[in-house]
Amino acid sequence: ITNGGDGFESQIDPTDPNIVYAQAQYGWLVRFDKKSGERVGIKPIADVGEDALRWNWDAPLLISPHNPKRLYFCANKVFRSENMGDDWTVISDDLSRQLDRNTLSVMDRVWSADAVMKNKSTSIFGNIVAFDESPLKEDLLVAGTDDGLIHVSSNGGESWEKLAPIQGVPEMTYVNAISFSKYDNQTMYAVFNNHKNGDFKPYIYKTTDLGKTWTAVHGNLPERGTVYDIAEDHINKNLLFAGTEFGLFVTIDGGKNWQSLKSGLPTIAVKDIEIQERENDLVLATFGRGFYVLDDYSPIRNFNMEDKEKPLQMYPVKDGLVYMQRNPLGLRGKSSQGSMFYTADNPKYGVALTYWFGDTTMTTAKSERHKKEAKLVKDGQSIPYPTIDQLHQEDWEKSPYLMASIKNAKGEVIRRMKATTKKGMNRIYWDFRHESMMPTSLKNRSAGRYSSLPSGALASPGTYSVVFHKIQSGNVTQIGEETIFKIKSLNNATLTAKDKLALEEFEVKLTKMRRAGRAIGSVLSDFDKRIQHLEKGILHSTTTSLNVLEEVEELRIQHKQLGIEMFGDNSLSSREFETVPSLTERMEKSIWNMWYATAAPSKSAYQRYEIAGDLFTAFLSNLATLEGRIIKLEERLSKDGAPYTNGSSLIPDWKKE
């Protein structure tokens, strides 16, 4: 919290993020020191003998783009400070129409002084509500008022020129926003808001001659949807964003054609827009729904209308920064802080891979039939019933999907990820990890409260590429061009590996060890089921001697002993006794110790890897012995004609029997 009040647009010193200029309603401005928590009141006041100032509820405040110590603050006059608000100079006369609001009609009449809430908690009328200084030319200023006037000064406020009314904008329409272009000091954008008069049309105008002439650039924006703010991209002058009553809109042709931009944004009033130029992030302030950030919107800048006709168009990939994610509260998100503790999601971790997908061939036979049937229904024709072969094709067909493959500089695929086939612009993230090489599962895993999803070795900084393939009815086809990108280390760790390639190579070795170890664990668990089925098979057999149960019991005990070696002694651990490390513990600890840091492998890490490898070799020999005994007993039951036991590869032949 930087200041009290209803919440207003603060300004942060670009040279010192601890200094924040914040205000409350009617111009109550403070300079807040985030480091100490101190607040200094710096609101300018009228001199003795001067008329009272008229402040808007949310008065325009600006730090000069040419001098971070210079501030502009507006009431019905413009104030300027050269020393961070300690002293102010008036640099304009009253720039409003200077009308008496109590003579103006509200709902078609002038109301009594006693009318409910007529002059209570409402902005004083006749003040400046929009202000800007050209980022290209110092002292080139513009101010817009709540009663529809725009003034320009080319000399730092020594003189002001009132611009002529803009054709197409109703008189006295509120100037909601006005800003200079980043490309030309003669170009400005003005946004008007006439909703107080029951007019909800969009009004966005552009001038290229400092206000002598104006052109409407609200294009095809919805007829009903007041505009509140506009932002110009810092690289492409034709890329504009508009915040409206019903969400955010974007244009790539300077305002001729606008497109709604949602991507998770609800239909809500977007009151303010800022661009974080270094990261290409679009930041929105909404009415009643908080802040929203669109991370790295640069693909929109690179979008061409021709992309819509392509099966897949990949956009330039921003360099990825490798780092370890933190859980400052102990666990993910708000941890155990309770539902009242507010948290918001961080940007998704990893390299953002953005692509336009427009392949119209990735459909199913069933969806194609439905399209044809819809046309027949529309034409009033009968619908032919599918043949059996057609029904088989539909019932057996798998939905087509898209696969993104990440390759290293050698051209080796190190990761594969499914990607959405939704038409339009899409984005997936690669988390800098190799494949985990965990055993396959037909169920989708989800992270638990105390666990994370399986992940592979961390890729080292360098050059990588991504290529997409579509998989449809068993056919694999590359779609789009292979795109090269880079990942870099954030280097924010105190003890980080100097040789990151060696770290990656060792982690890949650990991944291979885990692949083998998890496979052995799965096989051992499978043997337990096969032994249980053998016991059931004997009990339900009329030809196998019950004495064979003695051998099954031997197998069961041998399996338990191997289980202790593999997974640990549960008889001890469940009773809080100390236990020697199991093979799984040795393997998983080696991985856990390395997986969440960028530090170089220790000597102990290499030793643990070698020890686990030697123990696994010996364990495999004992496992093979157990498997041989299981197979032999399965063969005996098969010959006896006992019920089939699950896990056995011996299928009964009733003809021979």
Side-chain angles (χ1 to χ4, degrees), residues 4-292:
D6 287 356
F8 304 87
E9 181 179 0
S10 298
Q11 297 288 332
I12 302 171
D13 190 318
T15 61
D16 185 353
N18 283 311
I19 300 300
V20 182
Y21 301 95
Q23 60 174 304
Q25 47 264 54
Y26 300 128
W28 286 102
L29 184 65
V30 301
R31 186 177 64 232
F32 174 67
D33 184 348
K34 191 165 70 73
K35 189 175 182 179
S36 67
E38 297 175 359
R39 290 183 179 87
V40 177
I42 57 173
K43 175 184 178 180
I45 60 174
D47 286 341
V48 175
E50 290 185 342
D51 292 337
L53 297 170
R54 293 191 300 276
W55 296 94
N56 190 260
W57 191 272
D58 188 0
L61 170 66
L62 179 73
I63 298 177
S64 171
H66 305 284
N67 180 357
K69 294 186 180 299
R70 179 182 300 154
L71 305 180
Y72 294 97
F73 199 34
C74 304
N76 53 320
K77 301 177 181 180
V78 180
F79 291 85
R80 175 167 166 163
S81 171
E82 298 291 340
N83 54 10
M84 305 173 69
D86 285 341
D87 303 294
W88 295 93
T89 302
V90 180
I91 61 170
S92 80
D93 294 328
D94 189 334
L95 298 184
S96 74
R97 297 178 189 267
Q98 304 174 50
L99 301 174
D100 181 358
R101 62 176 173 170
N102 293 311
T103 64
L104 301 177
S105 295
V106 177
M107 293 183 289
D108 299 324
R109 56 175 287 192
V110 177
W111 291 77
S112 162
D114 301 316
V116 176
M117 301 301 286
K118 180 179 185 296
N119 296 328
K120 187 71 173 175
S121 294
T122 58
S123 287
I124 300 172
F125 186 69
N127 46 57
I128 300 167
V129 292
F131 183 86
D132 197 21
E133 180 180 21
S134 169
L136 302 177
K137 184 179 179 181
E138 190 172 7
D139 291 333
L140 179 56
L141 312 175
V142 63
T145 65
D146 61 352
D147 51 15
L149 297 181
I150 297 177
H151 288 79
V152 172
S153 173
S154 301
N155 50 19
E158 292 181 14
S159 62
W160 292 82
E161 177 187 358
K162 183 171 72 172
L163 302 184
I166 299 174
Q167 187 175 0
V169 179
E171 189 179 14
M172 292 185 62
T173 300
Y174 192 104
V175 184
N176 217 95
I178 191 159
S179 59
F180 283 100
S181 171
K182 298 178 175 70
Y183 303 93
D184 174 23
N185 58 27
Q186 297 289 301
T187 298
M188 292 188 298
Y189 292 92
V191 171
F192 297 88
N193 177 352
N194 200 33
H195 84 274
K196 291 183 180 180
N197 291 311
D199 175 10
F200 302 100
K201 293 178 182 178
Y203 295 101
I204 307 177
Y205 285 81
K206 177 182 178 180
T207 177
T208 57
D209 52 17
L210 208 59
K212 294 181 176 62
T213 59
W214 294 84
T215 302
V217 292
H218 37 253
N220 62 334
L221 282 173
E223 276 289 309
R224 188 174 183 273
T226 303
V227 181
Y228 297 112
D229 199 14
I230 189 168
E232 181 186 52
D233 180 56
H234 52 287
I235 294 178
N236 180 358
K237 64 181 180 180
N238 290 317
L239 175 57
L240 306 172
F241 300 95
T244 78
E245 178 68 20
F246 300 113
L248 180 71
F249 287 79
V250 60
T251 176
I252 62 174
D253 56 13
K256 296 176 183 177
N257 298 283
W258 293 85
Q259 172 69 46
S260 174
L261 188 61
K262 293 186 178 296
S263 189
L265 181 72
T267 302
I268 193 68
V270 176
K271 290 297 188 81
D272 195 14
I273 306 174
E274 297 292 345
I275 293 175
Q276 213 289 358
E277 296 184 2
R278 184 192 65 206
E279 301 298 332
N280 293 305
D281 289 349
L282 189 69
V283 186
L284 311 178
T286 70
F287 184 76
R289 295 288 287 273
F291 293 93
Y292 287 82

Side-chain angles (χ1 to χ4, degrees), residues 527-584:
F527 284 179
D528 179 43
K529 295 177 182 178
R530 289 171 71 176
I531 292 171
Q532 292 183 52
H533 280 289
L534 282 170
E535 182 178 5
K536 280 274 183 103
I538 294 170
L539 292 175
H540 291 284
S541 173
T542 57
T543 56
T544 303
S545 172
L546 290 175
N547 293 331
V548 180
L549 290 173
E550 297 176 4
E551 186 175 354
V552 174
E553 181 63 11
E554 291 177 8
L555 294 178
R556 193 177 70 84
I557 297 302
Q558 184 181 356
H559 180 272
K560 292 289 185 184
Q561 292 169 340
L562 288 176
I564 290 176
E565 289 184 51
M566 187 68 198
F567 301 116
D569 194 335
N570 185 61
S571 296
L572 292 176
S573 62
S574 65
R575 294 171 174 84
E576 297 295 340
F577 284 96
E578 65 277 8
T579 60
V580 297
S582 66
L583 291 180
T584 298

Side-chain angles (χ1 to χ4, degrees), residues 291-364:
F291 293 93
Y292 287 82
V293 181
L294 176 59
D295 301 300
D296 186 17
Y297 69 82
S298 61
I300 301 175
R301 184 189 301 138
N302 294 297
F303 175 80
N304 294 307
M305 294 304 293
E306 295 79 13
D307 295 346
K308 288 188 173 184
E309 308 304 320
K310 298 177 182 178
L312 186 141
Q313 174 62 47
M314 187 73 193
Y315 296 102
V317 181
K318 179 181 175 183
D319 291 348
L321 285 174
V322 181
Y323 62 93
M324 290 295 164
Q325 292 178 283
R326 299 172 62 187
N327 293 320
L329 298 177
L331 299 173
R332 286 187 297 273
K334 64 184 64 184
S335 185
S336 302
Q337 298 300 311
S339 60
M340 294 301 292
F341 185 82
Y342 176 77
T343 58
D345 292 334
N346 286 328
K348 288 188 178 180
Y349 179 72
V351 179
L353 306 171
T354 310
Y355 60 97
W356 174 274
F357 185 77
D359 193 325
T360 58
T361 66
M362 290 189 69
T363 59
T364 61

Side-chain angles (χ1 to χ4, degrees), residues 407-465:
K407 297 181 181 180
N408 60 19
K410 298 177 183 178
E412 301 166 335
V413 175
I414 63 172
R415 184 72 179 275
R416 286 195 174 119
M417 303 177 295
K418 269 193 171 183
T420 179
T421 56
K422 182 181 178 181
K423 188 173 182 180
M425 194 171 285
N426 300 287
R427 176 175 282 174
I428 60 172
Y429 290 81
W430 174 47
D431 62 0
F432 310 115
R433 295 282 183 175
H434 289 240
E435 287 288 354
S436 70
M437 303 310 293
M438 296 288 281
T440 58
S441 174
L442 299 181
K443 295 181 179 179
N444 292 326
R445 297 183 176 97
S446 58
R449 178 175 172 80
Y450 301 105
S451 63
S452 301
L453 291 174
S455 60
L458 186 67
S460 57
T463 301
Y464 294 82
S465 64

